[in-house]
Amino acid sequence: MTSTVPASLFRTNESSALQAVFLDMDGTLVDTEGFWWDAEVEVFQDLGHRLDESWRDIVVGGPMTRSAGYLIDATGADITLAELTVLLNDKFEQRIDRGVPLMPGAERLLAELALHNIPTALVSASHRRIIDRILASLGRDRFTLTVAGDEVIRTKPHPEPYLTAASGVGAEPGLCAVIEDTATGVASAEAAGCRVVAVPSVAPIPASEGRVVVRSLEEVDVPFLRTLISGV
């Protein structure tokens, strides 16, 4: 977890119940979910195995240990989880080094959150080495805090990543809005007690109590997020 601002300065002004906004990275802010699948396909092809397209929805959005472990079991590949993790990260880095496209509305939303001085955290299941590379495109200074999957004991769908983010910015989880693109991330945020905006990237996510589903970040702005918290 990295932070550059004292916790005492993290809260928004008292006129808004919204205390902080937490955003997932892959598939939410940057269009990289396809990069991960392509990396997985390529690595397993090198190992002599072909991935079934139906597995894509199963591995999307989860921690690498779960996704990689599932693919090892499904293919019977002769490789350890630790070895596969290195190969997948290396292959993914090769892809993001060619450029990382932002999701529609991401640039505008991050600028708006900064304009309103709303504490903003990036909360990802990706490892720190990947996050730091992508922050070069997103802008490191746009985030009060960043939480990587290899910096917590239990990553998504466990609530620890979002509880860590809330604690790090001195906010109450119930007064934080989370933007996620996968069911795994949504489960993590909701288990932490946060309010969720789901922007499905690969697999559909149903709306439910305390959760709003939108088609794009272009539908999300600060008034929308404040309404999500206040219910007004």
Side-chain angles (χ1 to χ4, degrees):
M1 179 177 71
T2 62
S3 173
T4 57
V5 185
S8 61
L9 300 181
F10 285 166
R11 291 188 182 276
T12 55
N13 64 61
E14 296 179 355
S15 65
S16 172
L18 177 66
Q19 291 185 351
V21 175
F22 306 146
L23 302 107
D24 174 54
M25 187 176 72
D26 296 298
T28 300
L29 286 175
V30 290
D31 191 7
T32 51
E33 288 292 10
F35 285 20
W36 278 114
W37 177 249
D38 291 344
E40 288 160 350
V41 167
E42 198 169 331
V43 166
F44 275 90
Q45 185 174 0
D46 292 343
L47 295 171
H49 297 274
R50 181 175 180 178
L51 299 189
D52 191 304
E53 185 69 25
S54 66
W55 298 341
R56 183 172 183 172
D57 289 353
I58 299 173
V59 300
V60 68
M64 183 175 292
T65 52
R66 189 200 73 184
S67 301
Y70 174 86
L71 293 175
I72 289 173
D73 290 341
T75 60
D78 184 19
I79 188 170
T80 67
L81 184 60
E83 291 169 338
L84 180 57
T85 296
V86 172
L87 293 178
L88 289 174
N89 273 323
D90 287 347
K91 191 69 70 174
F92 186 75
E93 284 183 13
Q94 292 172 17
R95 290 182 173 274
I96 62 177
D97 283 347
R98 302 171 200 156
V100 180
L102 270 61
M103 297 296 285
E107 177 75 29
R108 187 266 315 153
L109 178 59
L110 290 173
E112 187 176 350
L113 290 169
L115 181 65
H116 287 267
N117 296 314
I118 296 175
T120 304
L122 183 69
V123 182
S124 176
S126 291
H127 291 185
R128 171 57 58 186
R129 59 183 281 196
I130 299 297
I131 288 179
D132 284 345
R133 282 178 178 266
I134 291 181
L135 283 173
S137 297
L138 280 174
R140 191 180 305 271
D141 60 344
R142 287 175 158 173
F143 300 98
T144 308
L145 179 78
T146 61
V147 180
D150 56 342
E151 295 174 337
V152 292
I153 297 173
R154 295 152 298 190
T155 189
K156 304 174 187 179
H158 195 276
E160 183 179 347
Y162 284 109
L163 292 175
T164 299
S167 175
V169 301
E172 298 175 33
L175 297 179
C176 298
V178 170
I179 304 176
E180 274 278 2
D181 73 304
T182 68
T184 299
V186 166
S188 173
E190 290 181 341
C194 302
R195 302 300 294 270
V196 176
V197 179
V199 192
S201 61
V202 177
I205 300 173
S208 69
E209 184 177 353
R211 179 197 311 164
V212 177
V213 180
V214 298
R215 292 169 297 181
S216 165
L217 289 180
E218 293 178 321
E219 300 178 36
V220 182
D221 56 18
V222 168
F224 175 89
L225 294 172
R226 285 180 169 154
T227 299
L228 182 72
I229 300 298
S230 67
V232 178

